[in-house]
Each structure stands twice: as structure tokens, then as C-alpha cells.
Amino acid sequence: MLALRKVRSKDLAERVGITEANLSLLKQGRVKGVRFETLAAICAELQCQPGDLLRFVPDEPAPPGSKT
């Protein structure tokens, strides 16, 4: 979405009010959650919907007999 909108990560992070490091983690999918406020700000800046940025990846089921 950044490339489509021709927006640099640095500029988006500044406009949204998060660090470049946190934006990088979001882009890599290395976070466990994101605040709705942050997601809304990103969507507003990129003029998109949350579904344009997120995808659902189910956890792999545990092997039978394993403890979770």
C-alpha cells in the first residue's frame, strides 16, 4: 500500500505518530497486536481499509496428543 500511494515509511510513521521501528515491525508482521487508533490513522493516511493491510493466517493446529 505504501508503494501504491508513493509514501515512504519514514513519512507515514511521522504522520501517524509511531516510530519507524514500530512501523517496520508492523510491515513484517512481527507484532501480536495493533491499536485500533493506530490502524485507523494508517488507513486514513493511506486512504485504504484495514482489509487492504491485514490478512488472517490461522495458527497451525497442534499435533495430536501434544500439550498446548
Side-chain angles (χ1 to χ4, degrees), residues 5 7 11-12 15-16 39-48:
R5 302 295 192 246
V7 176
D11 296 332
L12 179 63
R15 291 180 198 157
V16 172
L39 181 59
I42 291 171
C43 288
E45 285 296 326
L46 296 178
Q47 299 177 353
C48 66

Side-chain angles (χ1 to χ4, degrees), residues 11-56:
D11 296 332
L12 179 63
E14 185 177 306
R15 291 180 198 157
V16 172
I18 61 175
T19 65
E20 289 181 64
N22 281 339
L23 181 58
S24 178
L25 292 172
L26 283 169
K27 288 170 42 180
Q28 296 172 32
R30 296 181 141 208
V31 296
K32 298 226 183 231
V34 60
R35 291 180 180 197
F36 287 119
E37 181 180 325
T38 302
L39 181 59
I42 291 171
C43 288
E45 285 296 326
L46 296 178
Q47 299 177 353
C48 66
Q49 294 295 312
D52 297 329
L53 304 174
L54 305 173
R55 66 183 171 128
F56 174 72

